[in-house]
Amino acid sequence: MKEMSIPEELPLLPVRDVVVFPYMILPLFVGRDKSIAAVDAALAGDRMIFLATQKDVAKEEPEVDDIYTVGTVAMIMRMLKLSDGRVKVLVQGMAKARLSSFVSEEPYHVVRLERLDEPRAPEMSLETEALMRMVRDQLAQLLHLGKSFPPEVSVVLENIEDPGSLADLIASNVGLKVVQAQELLEVIDPLERLRKVKDVLAKELEVATVQNRIQSQAKEEMGKTQREYYLREQLRAIQAELGEADARAEDVAELRQKLEAAKLPEASRSEAEKQLRRLESMHPEAAEYSMLRTYMDWLVELPWSHSTRDNLDLKKARKVLDEDHFNLEKVKERILEFLAVRKLKKDMKGPVLCFVGPPGVGKTSLGKSIARALGREFVRISLGGVRDEAEVRGHRRTYVGALPGRVIQSMKQAGTNNPVFMLDEIDKIGADFRGDPSAALLELLDPEQNHAFSDHYINLPFDLSKVLFIATANVMDPIPSALKDRLEVIRLAGYTTEEKQAIASRYLIPRQQKENGLKAKDIRFSDKATLKLITEYTLEAGLRNLEREIGSVCRKVARRFAEGRKQPVLVAENTVAGFLGPPRFLPEEELRESEIGVATGLAWTEVGGEILYVEVSTMKGKGDLTLTGHLGDVMKESAQAALSYARAHAVELGIDPNFLEGTSVHVHVPAGAIPKDGPSAGVTMATALVSALSGRRVSKDVAMTGEITLRGKVLPIGGLKEKVLAAVRANIKTIIIPSRNTKDLEDIPPNLRKKVRFVSASTMDEVLATALEAKA
């Protein structure tokens, strides 16, 4: 066939996944339009076609650079058209040729060829005969080790005396990769080609030998588990010998790349690499594989070394805080101090701020503003009702479905190792048989320990020292003392009426307009309408209910616009009731006048300060003391102490020393369904008791707070600012406070101090002198 004349120009048929050698007969399936046209053109002529292999099998329209230049001129022996539009052809290789240029590309490729004639082999030399015999022996060994080979080819091999033909026949049937086969095709010298085939067979023999050794070792104990192991090891050995990587190897390589990018500390890195090596040696179907794979995902995705740069521009930070929050000067000053220190000392440890105050005063939103001012990420976890220590520290990896704790989860969510981290409702954390979460927070919030925080799942020290922790709480009492010791407490007492008006006009009204689809021009609240909403429709320290009422008005206005209204709506003082119904809270001065036996006290609750009335009545009886109003033990003891004080000082108070003989005393605190307790109602109970026994009225404009001793000393109290705010809301003009609380008046805003008169008292005599009116 080599002597046959081959035209200089032939149609081109690019083939995929196969290299065609001379003398090789094989079927080809042709599906591309250009390829089918090339086959038709060859059949219309001398049935010759040039077969060249594509470099990229996925390319549908190969160009000049996508095709190997050395190929085989073949004769189309038979052609069959299939039902799906493809064509099946049977071809036989004839001679090698090199593609020198493209003649045309439409409607099919026509190429100009240069025939590659092999040099004539000299007479059979000893070296050539030895080489051919060695190749045949290698092939026989492969067949003995289980290599599949067509039986008819084996017969032909025995009768071939030409070294080039022998090399081509073996190369076309031994199952080489396309690249290896193409390299052999391009070798023109027959002896050189046969030597390369010998090298290929030698490598195949090594692979088959390793495979055979693994097989013999694995067969000793075959069982189900041993069989799986044998198959895995067999696959690994073959892939290692052939230099191929499987999907698992690519997966491990990707994890290793991510591990490099994560920049773990040295100690943690060595442990992570150890676990990665375990994963690499584990089969994907092993029970532990998915658990270890998930663990490695957590390790590489945690922000071990990624930090955001703090915004240390104090003026800009102050502007951000002022934009988001009205007043709250103490909090803003503390944040600016933090920034100032950070500017001077780059490696400072993050403080643990704790905002304490009633609901709705802006504790959580203040955390977001701090993050915005610092230029840091913000994450928040709510600890309300958390009773399982694993919520904080995570589960150990031995448990099914184990996960890191919420702290580590939030750090991954933040993507940086220095976010502003808010621990919301830290006072509502619980404890049960699953552990004490508050104890787990001790390490988290200790600046001396949290540089190596240990999560049970990760089980590697994670540095939290750069995190700015912020906790929020309504009250401090439920927080364990050890945890409380780690917190820097900043109290947010609540807002005055003027502050609420300013906040409503600056923040709440625009926000509710936007949330309800209204434009600024569609609705306007007058100052008196806003004041009416604050004083007659809400009674709170914070702003949540006020925003709800504003939202309710906006929704009603939105409905009017949806129904076709075009004119803007003005919410005036006299139209508020039309939107929200009658007022829910009446001003306190409209509820009562100065009375005998009724005193006004100031109480502190989780939702802020409140007014507390104490009523005392005397009647004929056996000298007993009756207490009603759902009082706690502390208030009951205060009532007993007040009675003992009145009996001990009866003469100087103008009371009959024998008043208990034939007289019963009843102390009642209204709203009996609400539990009441606390250590600051002593002076109020004593004042109401003395008023009832002496017949002197208690001034309706006076409110008081403080605890008493049996000797009439007035003891200090807490929560003064909240109590003052409650008194101002009730239009109280005079407030009696313990003299040792006078220092706390600095926390009261100046405009608030102007509204009331503060009277400090160290004894009950001073309290009574101010609170009781003279007898008519």
Side-chain angles (χ1 to χ4, degrees), residues 654-665:
I655 302 172
D656 181 4
N658 301 316
F659 67 86
L660 278 184
E661 295 179 4
T663 302
S664 291
V665 178

Side-chain angles (χ1 to χ4, degrees), residues 60-104:
E60 284 298 322
E61 294 294 335
E63 298 175 0
V64 179
D65 295 333
D66 299 322
I67 300 173
Y68 288 108
T69 56
V70 176
T72 301
V73 175
M75 176 73 71
I76 300 177
M77 302 171 64
R78 194 175 303 157
M79 188 269 284
L80 175 66
K81 291 190 176 180
L82 303 177
S83 59
D84 59 0
R86 294 185 302 163
V87 171
K88 181 180 179 181
V89 293
L90 185 67
V91 298
Q92 179 180 13
M94 297 173 59
K96 295 181 187 178
R98 177 178 283 111
L99 190 159
S100 58
S101 63
F102 276 71
V103 178
S104 65

Side-chain angles (χ1 to χ4, degrees), residues 633-657:
D633 291 338
V634 177
M635 290 189 73
K636 289 177 182 178
E637 291 172 1
S638 296
Q640 293 284 358
L643 181 61
S644 297
Y645 167 77
R647 292 180 66 186
H649 299 79
V651 176
E652 53 201 85
L653 294 173
I655 302 172
D656 181 4

Side-chain angles (χ1 to χ4, degrees), residues 22-33:
Y23 306 109
M24 185 176 178
I25 299 174
L26 79 161
L28 295 176
F29 290 90
V30 183
R32 291 181 285 203
D33 294 338

Side-chain angles (χ1 to χ4, degrees), residues 687 697-700 702 704 736 766-773:
T687 302
R697 297 176 183 274
V698 182
S699 174
K700 69 181 181 66
V702 175
M704 60 201 75
I736 302 173
E766 297 172 359
V767 173
L768 297 174
T770 303
L772 298 182
E773 297 178 355

Side-chain angles (χ1 to χ4, degrees), residues 270-319:
S270 60
E271 176 63 22
E273 288 178 344
K274 175 183 173 183
Q275 297 299 332
L276 188 58
R277 287 193 296 272
R278 282 186 62 209
L279 184 72
E280 191 173 13
S281 63
M282 198 178 295
H283 192 268
E285 294 182 6
E288 196 182 356
Y289 183 86
S290 60
M291 181 274 291
L292 192 56
R293 179 68 173 80
T294 304
Y295 174 69
M296 289 305 303
D297 280 338
W298 276 100
L299 281 189
V300 300
E301 290 176 11
L302 283 176
W304 297 90
S305 57
H306 180 243
S307 304
T308 53
R309 181 176 293 180
D310 284 342
N311 168 31
L312 300 177
D313 186 342
L314 299 185
K315 291 182 179 178
K316 185 177 179 181
R318 177 75 197 207
K319 182 181 178 183

Side-chain angles (χ1 to χ4, degrees), residues 3-79:
E3 302 304 324
M4 289 184 63
S5 173
I6 297 200
E8 290 185 358
E9 296 179 3
L10 281 177
L12 168 67
L13 176 61
V15 293
R16 297 190 265 204
D17 284 327
V18 67
V19 175
V20 181
F21 285 82
Y23 306 109
M24 185 176 178
I25 299 174
L26 79 161
L28 295 176
F29 290 90
V30 183
R32 291 181 285 203
D33 294 338
K34 280 189 176 182
S35 298
I36 293 174
V39 170
D40 292 337
L43 290 172
D46 51 13
R47 305 179 73 89
M48 289 188 187
I49 194 165
F50 181 63
L51 305 178
T53 306
Q54 285 185 213
K55 296 177 182 178
D56 184 3
V57 297
K59 196 138 188 182
E60 284 298 322
E61 294 294 335
E63 298 175 0
V64 179
D65 295 333
D66 299 322
I67 300 173
Y68 288 108
T69 56
V70 176
T72 301
V73 175
M75 176 73 71
I76 300 177
M77 302 171 64
R78 194 175 303 157
M79 188 269 284

